[in-house]
Amino acid sequence: MSEAPLLSLAIWIPILSGCALLATGGDRNAPLTRALALVAALVGLAVTLPLYTGFDLASSGMQFVEQHRWIARFNIQYLLGVDGISMLFVILNSFITVIVVLAGWRVIDHKVAQYNAAFLIMSGLMNGIFSSLDGVLFYVFFEASLIPLYLIIGIWGGANRVYAAFKFFLYTLAGSLLFLVALLYLFFASGGSFSILDWHQTPLSHGEQIWIFLAFLVAFAVKIPMWPVHTWLPDAHVEAPTGGSIVLAAIALKLGAYGFIRFSLPIAPDAAHELAGLLIALSLIAVVYIGFVALVQEDMKKLVAYSSIAHMGFVTLGIFLFSQMGLEGALVQMISHGFVSGAMFFCIGVMYDRMHTRRIADYGGVVNTMPKFAAFFMLFAMANAGLPATSGFVGEFMVILSTIQTDFWLAFAAATTLILGAAYTLWMVKRVIFGAVTREPVAQLKDVTPREFAILALLAVAVIAMGVYPQPFTEVMHSSVNELLRHVAVSKIQ
């Protein structure tokens, strides 16, 4: 295992690079700014790859641990580490950062330095969330990550960007306040420790577990987002620039589900079992009801945004089945959704850059003028619908199979996502991609540029590789998932 502080490098290289970008002269030196941002993103990705190559598959504990004193009076530490659950998200986040820097290469022509700096800083903060093993450190990264995304939506977004940015910020901040209260309570309950791993071993009464679980539920449900606290997401996606939508869907939505796995299940396992029915019900509502909502959308971004809510409902369903296949399926679905949703939003951004509209009715026959783009769009749309041999199928299949082992009718309800997902995705593809060209702006469209082709190809390789051969992803998480389920099965009521 490498002795280098890989997790600190993954966190601070993007953050410090983002701060340094602000001194490049902004729009006067835009080409230099873009080049430096890409280099920083690539270096940030490079330092995360040894996390995978040096990972001990047989170990269920934390690896690449870094521990330093921070605020000794309150026993707050700079404590980092990853296991088979969190490590893949660090790599995914760093990969998506490269994608968003490339995605905004020609599209963003004002405040270029600030735009790229916001994404780099957010990348470092996200890596900090997935790596933190100290409650205060986690909370600092968790809350700080709101600021860059708030600015990205509010400055580079659409006509209603200020409304969408405020709604996003207020929803997520309000949910986090109860999270902070729960962290402070756990500090005293554990005898004065902010270590998340210590909290996993802290015995709590039944009532304490229930209240702590509910506090976590409010914070994480907003982040995912779960029904009925999901209304901020479509607005944020519609108004965000393409890069903002990609990061929001591919990474930010994963924070809530990750919080359930890292906090709710191991700290309050008895409450998690007792309230699992509630979470499963909310998950199925997201899968079924939100799927129908997606069917009636006229804006492509809103359709994909609602589909993200439905897919994340599948994630929470898998988590609260308390089975190895279900939890691993949820994790695979989270990684896959990062690739697929990011690709879908980039595809919509490619069309918007040319047509300046996201309305499905404004398109038709795109395959006639953009055949290369149409091929990529079809691939990602099929992955979004869960086509076998794409990454979108693997996680959903594992969760459905696990649900069948629990209850057939739950599995039947969950499986409707395959029908609804195919319905709203194919409806959009049919009207946007196929048919005759009926509008002059569509007839004038130019196919993808080399930069756009490279981005789409990278995402396509990820989607197909994960769909055809998911073992490199599942074998990493296997030991950690087994240990988590073993821990959750043991009562912690004092």
Side-chain angles (χ1 to χ4, degrees), residues 296-336:
V296 300
Q297 298 306 310
E298 298 179 354
D299 183 298
M300 286 186 287
K301 260 195 174 185
K302 272 197 173 182
L303 188 150
V304 178
Y306 279 112
S307 79
S308 292
I309 298 170
H311 285 121
M312 291 306 294
F314 236 84
V315 170
T316 50
L317 173 62
I319 291 172
F320 286 94
L321 292 174
F322 302 105
S323 70
Q324 179 187 327
M325 186 176 298
L327 186 50
E328 289 188 5
L331 290 168
V332 169
Q333 176 73 352
M334 290 163 71
I335 301 293
S336 167

Short mmCIF file of all heavy atoms in Angstrom, two decimals, residues 296-336:
data_model
loop_
_atom_site.label_atom_id
_atom_site.label_comp_id
_atom_site.label_asym_id
_atom_site.label_seq_id
_atom_site.Cartn_x
_atom_site.Cartn_y
_atom_site.Cartn_z
N VAL A 296 -44.58 12.85 -18.63
CA VAL A 296 -45.33 14.00 -19.14
C VAL A 296 -44.46 15.25 -19.31
O VAL A 296 -44.98 16.32 -19.62
CB VAL A 296 -46.53 14.33 -18.22
CG1 VAL A 296 -47.47 13.16 -18.14
CG2 VAL A 296 -46.05 14.75 -16.83
N GLN A 297 -43.16 15.11 -19.13
CA GLN A 297 -42.28 16.28 -19.25
C GLN A 297 -42.06 16.67 -20.71
O GLN A 297 -41.90 15.81 -21.58
CB GLN A 297 -40.94 16.02 -18.56
CG GLN A 297 -41.06 15.75 -17.08
CD GLN A 297 -41.80 16.84 -16.35
OE1 GLN A 297 -41.51 18.03 -16.50
NE2 GLN A 297 -42.79 16.43 -15.55
N GLU A 298 -42.02 17.97 -20.96
CA GLU A 298 -41.75 18.49 -22.30
C GLU A 298 -40.34 19.03 -22.44
O GLU A 298 -39.89 19.30 -23.55
CB GLU A 298 -42.76 19.60 -22.63
CG GLU A 298 -44.20 19.12 -22.64
CD GLU A 298 -45.17 20.23 -22.95
OE1 GLU A 298 -44.72 21.41 -23.04
OE2 GLU A 298 -46.37 19.95 -23.11
N ASP A 299 -39.65 19.19 -21.32
CA ASP A 299 -38.27 19.67 -21.29
C ASP A 299 -37.35 18.48 -21.07
O ASP A 299 -37.54 17.70 -20.13
CB ASP A 299 -38.11 20.71 -20.18
CG ASP A 299 -36.72 21.32 -20.14
OD1 ASP A 299 -35.75 20.58 -19.92
OD2 ASP A 299 -36.60 22.55 -20.32
N MET A 300 -36.34 18.31 -21.93
CA MET A 300 -35.46 17.16 -21.84
C MET A 300 -34.73 17.09 -20.50
O MET A 300 -34.56 16.02 -19.91
CB MET A 300 -34.46 17.17 -22.99
CG MET A 300 -35.04 16.80 -24.33
SD MET A 300 -33.79 16.64 -25.62
CE MET A 300 -33.37 18.37 -25.90
N LYS A 301 -34.28 18.25 -20.01
CA LYS A 301 -33.57 18.25 -18.74
C LYS A 301 -34.47 17.84 -17.59
O LYS A 301 -34.06 17.11 -16.68
CB LYS A 301 -32.97 19.64 -18.47
CG LYS A 301 -31.48 19.76 -18.79
CD LYS A 301 -30.91 21.00 -18.16
CE LYS A 301 -29.41 21.06 -18.33
NZ LYS A 301 -28.82 22.22 -17.64
N LYS A 302 -35.71 18.33 -17.61
CA LYS A 302 -36.63 17.94 -16.55
C LYS A 302 -36.93 16.45 -16.60
O LYS A 302 -37.03 15.79 -15.56
CB LYS A 302 -37.93 18.74 -16.66
CG LYS A 302 -37.92 20.06 -15.92
CD LYS A 302 -39.31 20.60 -15.72
CE LYS A 302 -39.28 21.82 -14.82
NZ LYS A 302 -40.64 22.36 -14.55
N LEU A 303 -37.05 15.91 -17.79
CA LEU A 303 -37.32 14.48 -17.92
C LEU A 303 -36.19 13.66 -17.32
O LEU A 303 -36.42 12.73 -16.53
CB LEU A 303 -37.52 14.13 -19.39
CG LEU A 303 -38.00 12.70 -19.70
CD1 LEU A 303 -38.82 12.68 -20.98
CD2 LEU A 303 -36.83 11.72 -19.84
N VAL A 304 -34.95 14.02 -17.64
CA VAL A 304 -33.80 13.27 -17.11
C VAL A 304 -33.66 13.52 -15.61
O VAL A 304 -33.27 12.62 -14.86
CB VAL A 304 -32.52 13.64 -17.87
CG1 VAL A 304 -31.32 12.91 -17.28
CG2 VAL A 304 -32.65 13.30 -19.35
N ALA A 305 -34.00 14.73 -15.16
CA ALA A 305 -33.94 15.02 -13.72
C ALA A 305 -34.91 14.14 -12.95
O ALA A 305 -34.57 13.56 -11.91
CB ALA A 305 -34.26 16.50 -13.48
N TYR A 306 -36.13 14.02 -13.44
CA TYR A 306 -37.10 13.15 -12.77
C TYR A 306 -36.69 11.68 -12.86
O TYR A 306 -36.91 10.90 -11.92
CB TYR A 306 -38.50 13.35 -13.37
CG TYR A 306 -39.21 14.57 -12.82
CD1 TYR A 306 -39.48 15.67 -13.62
CD2 TYR A 306 -39.61 14.61 -11.49
CE1 TYR A 306 -40.12 16.80 -13.12
CE2 TYR A 306 -40.25 15.73 -10.97
CZ TYR A 306 -40.51 16.81 -11.79
OH TYR A 306 -41.14 17.92 -11.28
N SER A 307 -36.08 11.30 -13.97
CA SER A 307 -35.61 9.92 -14.06
C SER A 307 -34.51 9.65 -13.04
O SER A 307 -34.39 8.53 -12.51
CB SER A 307 -35.10 9.62 -15.48
OG SER A 307 -33.81 10.13 -15.70
N SER A 308 -33.71 10.67 -12.72
CA SER A 308 -32.67 10.52 -11.70
C SER A 308 -33.29 10.25 -10.34
O SER A 308 -32.77 9.43 -9.56
CB SER A 308 -31.80 11.79 -11.63
OG SER A 308 -31.02 11.94 -12.80
N ILE A 309 -34.39 10.94 -10.03
CA ILE A 309 -35.07 10.70 -8.76
C ILE A 309 -35.57 9.26 -8.70
O ILE A 309 -35.45 8.58 -7.66
CB ILE A 309 -36.24 11.69 -8.59
CG1 ILE A 309 -35.72 13.14 -8.56
CG2 ILE A 309 -37.01 11.39 -7.30
CD1 ILE A 309 -36.82 14.18 -8.63
N ALA A 310 -36.12 8.77 -9.80
CA ALA A 310 -36.60 7.39 -9.85
C ALA A 310 -35.45 6.41 -9.67
O ALA A 310 -35.57 5.41 -8.93
CB ALA A 310 -37.32 7.13 -11.17
N HIS A 311 -34.32 6.66 -10.33
CA HIS A 311 -33.18 5.75 -10.21
C HIS A 311 -32.60 5.77 -8.80
O HIS A 311 -32.17 4.73 -8.28
CB HIS A 311 -32.11 6.12 -11.24
CG HIS A 311 -32.46 5.72 -12.63
ND1 HIS A 311 -32.55 6.61 -13.67
CD2 HIS A 311 -32.76 4.52 -13.17
CE1 HIS A 311 -32.89 5.98 -14.78
NE2 HIS A 311 -33.02 4.71 -14.50
N MET A 312 -32.59 6.95 -8.18
CA MET A 312 -32.08 7.00 -6.81
C MET A 312 -33.05 6.33 -5.84
O MET A 312 -32.64 5.87 -4.77
CB MET A 312 -31.84 8.46 -6.41
CG MET A 312 -30.66 9.12 -7.14
SD MET A 312 -29.11 8.19 -7.01
CE MET A 312 -28.78 8.34 -5.26
N GLY A 313 -34.34 6.27 -6.19
CA GLY A 313 -35.28 5.48 -5.40
C GLY A 313 -34.89 4.02 -5.38
O GLY A 313 -35.05 3.32 -4.37
N PHE A 314 -34.37 3.54 -6.51
CA PHE A 314 -33.86 2.17 -6.58
C PHE A 314 -32.68 1.99 -5.63
O PHE A 314 -32.52 0.93 -5.01
CB PHE A 314 -33.41 1.89 -8.01
CG PHE A 314 -34.07 0.70 -8.60
CD1 PHE A 314 -35.32 0.81 -9.19
CD2 PHE A 314 -33.47 -0.54 -8.56
CE1 PHE A 314 -35.94 -0.29 -9.73
CE2 PHE A 314 -34.09 -1.66 -9.10
CZ PHE A 314 -35.34 -1.53 -9.69
N VAL A 315 -31.86 3.01 -5.50
CA VAL A 315 -30.69 2.94 -4.62
C VAL A 315 -31.13 2.79 -3.17
O VAL A 315 -30.65 1.91 -2.45
CB VAL A 315 -29.81 4.20 -4.79
CG1 VAL A 315 -28.74 4.26 -3.71
CG2 VAL A 315 -29.17 4.21 -6.18
N THR A 316 -32.05 3.65 -2.71
CA THR A 316 -32.48 3.56 -1.32
C THR A 316 -33.24 2.26 -1.05
O THR A 316 -33.16 1.70 0.05
CB THR A 316 -33.35 4.77 -0.94
OG1 THR A 316 -34.38 4.95 -1.92
CG2 THR A 316 -32.51 6.03 -0.86
N LEU A 317 -33.95 1.75 -2.05
CA LEU A 317 -34.61 0.46 -1.90
C LEU A 317 -33.57 -0.63 -1.64
O LEU A 317 -33.72 -1.44 -0.71
CB LEU A 317 -35.41 0.13 -3.16
CG LEU A 317 -36.03 -1.28 -3.24
CD1 LEU A 317 -37.03 -1.49 -2.12
CD2 LEU A 317 -36.67 -1.50 -4.60
N GLY A 318 -32.51 -0.65 -2.43
CA GLY A 318 -31.47 -1.66 -2.26
C GLY A 318 -30.78 -1.56 -0.91
O GLY A 318 -30.44 -2.58 -0.28
N ILE A 319 -30.58 -0.33 -0.42
CA ILE A 319 -29.89 -0.14 0.87
C ILE A 319 -30.70 -0.74 2.01
O ILE A 319 -30.15 -1.43 2.88
CB ILE A 319 -29.64 1.36 1.11
CG1 ILE A 319 -28.59 1.90 0.13
CG2 ILE A 319 -29.19 1.61 2.55
CD1 ILE A 319 -28.41 3.41 0.18
N PHE A 320 -32.01 -0.52 2.01
CA PHE A 320 -32.82 -0.92 3.15
C PHE A 320 -33.43 -2.32 3.02
O PHE A 320 -34.34 -2.67 3.76
CB PHE A 320 -33.89 0.14 3.42
CG PHE A 320 -33.31 1.37 4.04
CD1 PHE A 320 -32.92 2.45 3.25
CD2 PHE A 320 -33.07 1.44 5.40
CE1 PHE A 320 -32.35 3.58 3.80
CE2 PHE A 320 -32.50 2.56 5.98
CZ PHE A 320 -32.13 3.63 5.17
N LEU A 321 -32.91 -3.10 2.07
CA LEU A 321 -33.24 -4.52 2.03
C LEU A 321 -32.35 -5.32 2.97
O LEU A 321 -32.64 -6.48 3.27
CB LEU A 321 -33.10 -5.05 0.60
CG LEU A 321 -34.11 -4.54 -0.41
CD1 LEU A 321 -33.75 -5.03 -1.81
CD2 LEU A 321 -35.53 -4.96 -0.05
N PHE A 322 -31.21 -4.72 3.38
CA PHE A 322 -30.27 -5.36 4.30
C PHE A 322 -29.77 -6.70 3.79
O PHE A 322 -29.63 -7.67 4.53
CB PHE A 322 -30.89 -5.54 5.70
CG PHE A 322 -31.36 -4.26 6.32
CD1 PHE A 322 -32.70 -3.96 6.38
CD2 PHE A 322 -30.44 -3.35 6.83
CE1 PHE A 322 -33.14 -2.77 6.96
CE2 PHE A 322 -30.87 -2.16 7.40
CZ PHE A 322 -32.22 -1.87 7.46
N SER A 323 -29.52 -6.77 2.51
CA SER A 323 -28.93 -7.97 1.92
C SER A 323 -27.69 -7.58 1.13
O SER A 323 -27.56 -6.44 0.68
CB SER A 323 -29.94 -8.66 0.98
OG SER A 323 -30.15 -7.89 -0.19
N GLN A 324 -26.80 -8.55 0.99
CA GLN A 324 -25.55 -8.26 0.29
C GLN A 324 -25.81 -7.86 -1.15
O GLN A 324 -25.26 -6.87 -1.64
CB GLN A 324 -24.63 -9.48 0.32
CG GLN A 324 -23.31 -9.26 -0.42
CD GLN A 324 -22.49 -10.53 -0.50
OE1 GLN A 324 -22.54 -11.36 0.41
NE2 GLN A 324 -21.77 -10.70 -1.59
N MET A 325 -26.65 -8.61 -1.84
CA MET A 325 -26.92 -8.30 -3.24
C MET A 325 -27.64 -6.96 -3.38
O MET A 325 -27.37 -6.19 -4.30
CB MET A 325 -27.74 -9.42 -3.89
CG MET A 325 -27.93 -9.24 -5.39
SD MET A 325 -28.81 -10.62 -6.15
CE MET A 325 -27.67 -11.96 -5.83
N GLY A 326 -28.56 -6.68 -2.47
CA GLY A 326 -29.29 -5.43 -2.55
C GLY A 326 -28.40 -4.24 -2.33
O GLY A 326 -28.47 -3.24 -3.07
N LEU A 327 -27.53 -4.30 -1.31
CA LEU A 327 -26.65 -3.17 -1.00
C LEU A 327 -25.59 -3.00 -2.08
O LEU A 327 -25.30 -1.87 -2.50
CB LEU A 327 -26.01 -3.38 0.37
CG LEU A 327 -25.16 -2.23 0.91
CD1 LEU A 327 -25.91 -0.90 0.85
CD2 LEU A 327 -24.72 -2.52 2.35
N GLU A 328 -25.02 -4.11 -2.55
CA GLU A 328 -24.05 -4.00 -3.64
C GLU A 328 -24.72 -3.50 -4.92
O GLU A 328 -24.14 -2.72 -5.68
CB GLU A 328 -23.37 -5.34 -3.88
CG GLU A 328 -22.41 -5.74 -2.77
CD GLU A 328 -21.61 -6.98 -3.10
OE1 GLU A 328 -21.72 -7.48 -4.24
OE2 GLU A 328 -20.86 -7.45 -2.22
N GLY A 329 -25.96 -3.93 -5.16
CA GLY A 329 -26.70 -3.43 -6.31
C GLY A 329 -26.94 -1.94 -6.22
O GLY A 329 -26.85 -1.21 -7.22
N ALA A 330 -27.25 -1.46 -4.99
CA ALA A 330 -27.44 -0.02 -4.79
C ALA A 330 -26.16 0.75 -5.09
O ALA A 330 -26.19 1.81 -5.73
CB ALA A 330 -27.91 0.24 -3.36
N LEU A 331 -25.04 0.23 -4.63
CA LEU A 331 -23.75 0.90 -4.87
C LEU A 331 -23.40 0.89 -6.36
O LEU A 331 -22.93 1.90 -6.91
CB LEU A 331 -22.65 0.21 -4.07
CG LEU A 331 -22.73 0.41 -2.55
CD1 LEU A 331 -21.78 -0.55 -1.83
CD2 LEU A 331 -22.40 1.85 -2.17
N VAL A 332 -23.63 -0.24 -7.02
CA VAL A 332 -23.38 -0.31 -8.46
C VAL A 332 -24.28 0.66 -9.21
O VAL A 332 -23.85 1.34 -10.15
CB VAL A 332 -23.59 -1.75 -8.97
CG1 VAL A 332 -23.60 -1.80 -10.50
CG2 VAL A 332 -22.50 -2.67 -8.43
N GLN A 333 -25.54 0.74 -8.78
CA GLN A 333 -26.48 1.67 -9.41
C GLN A 333 -26.02 3.11 -9.23
O GLN A 333 -26.17 3.95 -10.13
CB GLN A 333 -27.88 1.48 -8.82
CG GLN A 333 -28.93 2.45 -9.31
CD GLN A 333 -29.39 2.17 -10.74
OE1 GLN A 333 -28.80 1.34 -11.42
NE2 GLN A 333 -30.41 2.87 -11.18
N MET A 334 -25.45 3.44 -8.08
CA MET A 334 -24.95 4.80 -7.85
C MET A 334 -23.80 5.13 -8.79
O MET A 334 -23.74 6.22 -9.36
CB MET A 334 -24.51 4.95 -6.39
CG MET A 334 -25.68 4.95 -5.40
SD MET A 334 -25.17 4.63 -3.70
CE MET A 334 -24.32 6.15 -3.30
N ILE A 335 -22.87 4.20 -8.94
CA ILE A 335 -21.74 4.43 -9.85
C ILE A 335 -22.24 4.54 -11.29
O ILE A 335 -21.87 5.45 -12.04
CB ILE A 335 -20.71 3.29 -9.73
CG1 ILE A 335 -20.18 3.18 -8.30
CG2 ILE A 335 -19.57 3.51 -10.72
CD1 ILE A 335 -19.35 4.33 -7.84
N SER A 336 -23.11 3.61 -11.68
CA SER A 336 -23.65 3.63 -13.04
C SER A 336 -24.41 4.91 -13.32
O SER A 336 -24.26 5.52 -14.39
CB SER A 336 -24.57 2.43 -13.24
OG SER A 336 -25.33 2.56 -14.43
#
